[in-house]
Amino acid sequence: MPDLISDLSANLSLPYLAPAQAQKHVTHNEALALLDALVQLAVASRSAAAPPADPAAGTRYLLPGAASGAWAGQAEGRLALWDGGTWRFLDPAPGWRALVLDEGRALFWDGAAWQEMPLPAQGQTALLGVNAAPDAGNRFAVSSPATLLSHEGAGHQLKINKAAAGETASLLFQTGWSGRAELGCAGADDFVLKVSEDGASWVTALSVAAASGMAHLPQGARVDGALTGTAVVGTVAQVAGGSSGALLEQGSGATGAYLRLADGTQICWHGLTSSASGATGWSFPASFAAPPMVQASCTAGSAHLVSAGAVAAASAEISAWDLTGARAAVSCALLALGRWV
C-alpha cells in the first residue's frame, strides 16, 4: 500500500482511494477512465484545429497551436479527451508515446514537443541472424543451403548501394572465409571482375568502363568456341590508331575481292586476261591509303612474264610478254598488299 503523501499517482496522476472514503467507486472509476485514455495511446489526429461536432466517447486528439472552440486557450501538444460529456485536457510527460491514426505515425513527447519515431510495424532492428550470429560488420547474417529472392508480381532487383564512387559495392565469393572472386564496383564506378588464388593477391580479369561501356580483358582471353557477329566480320574502322569497328571486313566486285584487317592491313586479289596490244588496267576492289605492293603471275604456265606498273593507291597496270618479248594475252593472277589507313 503506497504512502499517500499525495492523492494522485506519480506518473499518470491517477486518484488514490482514501481510507474510509465514501463513494469509493467514483474515485476508482476516475482512475480507470484515465487509464483507458492514456494506456495504448492512439489519437485521431494532431492537426485538427477545432473539436469535431459529435465525437465518440474516448476520442483523443493532440492539440495543435491556436486551437479553437472548446479547445481554445489550450497549450499546443496537450492531450484532449472526450469523456462522453466534456473535453478533458491532460499534460504529457517525457517518454509518453502516441500513435497518430490519420497519419500512421508514432510520436513521443520529449518534454517540449511531440517528435516522430519509427513505427514498430516497420520491422526495424539493429541486428538480424537467420541460423547465424550477426555482428557489427555483418548486421544481417544467414546460414542456409540456399537463399531465395523472388518477385512479387513482376520483376525483382537486388540493390547494392555505396556512398561515393571511391567506395565499394560488390559481391565477394570466398573459400574458407578467404576471398577468391569479387564482382562489382570496387573503388570506382567501373564494373570489374577480380580473382585471387590466396585471398591476398588479386588480378583483374574483366573491367567495363562506366563512361563508355568498353570492356577490357587485361589478362587476355582464350576462346574455344565460334566467334560470330558483326564485330568479327563487318566494317573495320580506326580512331586515333585504335580499332573502333569489326576485326575483319571483306567484299568483292567486278574487279576482284578484298580483305581488310582491323590493324590497317588490306589484301586485294583478282584474275584478268592481259592485252596483246598494251597494258591492262586493274582498279582495286577497295582503295589503299598509299600505293600497295602488287604481285602478278601467269596462270597458264612459265612461258610468259607478267609485271605490274604505274601502281597507285587505287589501281595498277598489268602487262604480259612471251619469250620473244612480244606482248601477250594470257590469264593473270593478281595480288595487292598494303594498308587501308
Side-chain angles (χ1 to χ4, degrees), residues 27-332:
T27 303
H28 179 66
N29 289 342
E30 172 66 10
L32 291 179
L34 290 173
L35 284 173
D36 182 70
L38 300 178
V39 174
Q40 302 289 359
L41 181 57
V43 298
S45 179
R46 59 170 171 167
S47 59
D54 188 21
T59 300
R60 294 159 293 183
Y61 287 84
L62 295 181
L63 297 181
S68 61
W71 296 347
Q74 300 296 325
E76 181 177 359
R78 295 193 82 188
L79 176 67
L81 165 67
W82 178 254
D83 64 5
T86 187
W87 286 101
R88 301 182 61 180
F89 304 99
L90 304 170
D91 291 315
W96 281 22
R97 300 183 181 187
L99 178 65
V100 183
L101 296 175
D102 66 347
E103 298 179 24
R105 297 180 183 273
L107 310 178
F108 72 96
W109 179 258
D110 66 0
W114 289 100
Q115 306 290 344
E116 293 187 10
M117 60 182 295
L119 281 172
Q122 292 177 329
Q124 296 187 9
T125 181
L127 300 173
L128 178 61
V130 179
N131 197 33
D135 54 40
N138 301 282
R139 298 177 185 176
F140 176 50
V142 178
S143 178
S144 171
T147 301
L148 173 63
L149 301 174
S150 183
H151 67 88
E152 187 181 13
H156 183 90
Q157 285 185 325
L158 176 63
K159 300 178 181 180
I160 303 177
N161 182 57
K162 59 181 181 175
E167 305 299 333
T168 293
S170 68
L171 297 175
L172 179 64
F173 302 87
Q174 299 179 317
T175 297
W177 306 112
S178 178
R180 290 296 180 268
E182 186 173 12
L183 183 68
C185 301
D189 282 341
D190 294 343
F191 186 80
V192 298
L193 168 61
K194 301 188 296 182
V195 293
S196 174
E197 62 180 1
D198 57 8
S201 299
W202 291 83
V203 177
T204 297
L206 167 70
S207 66
V208 182
S212 65
M214 181 70 71
H216 181 211
L217 299 170
Q219 311 307 320
R222 172 179 172 175
V223 180
D224 293 327
L227 285 176
T228 62
T230 57
V232 178
V233 180
T235 301
V236 296
Q238 284 191 359
V239 175
S243 174
S244 60
L247 294 175
L248 305 171
E249 179 181 337
Q250 62 184 16
S252 62
T255 60
Y258 73 91
L259 177 66
R260 280 182 173 178
L261 280 64
D263 69 348
T265 302
Q266 177 170 287
I267 305 170
C268 295
W269 61 94
H270 186 41
L272 57 73
T273 300
S274 63
S275 172
S277 61
T280 302
W282 177 30
S283 295
F284 303 135
S287 296
F288 292 86
M293 179 184 70
V294 180
Q295 181 179 4
S297 62
C298 177
T299 61
S302 59
H304 296 83
L305 175 66
V306 183
S307 67
V311 178
S315 64
E317 293 184 351
I318 307 301
S319 299
W321 293 268
D322 60 19
L323 295 181
T324 68
R327 288 183 178 275
V330 295
S331 296
C332 302

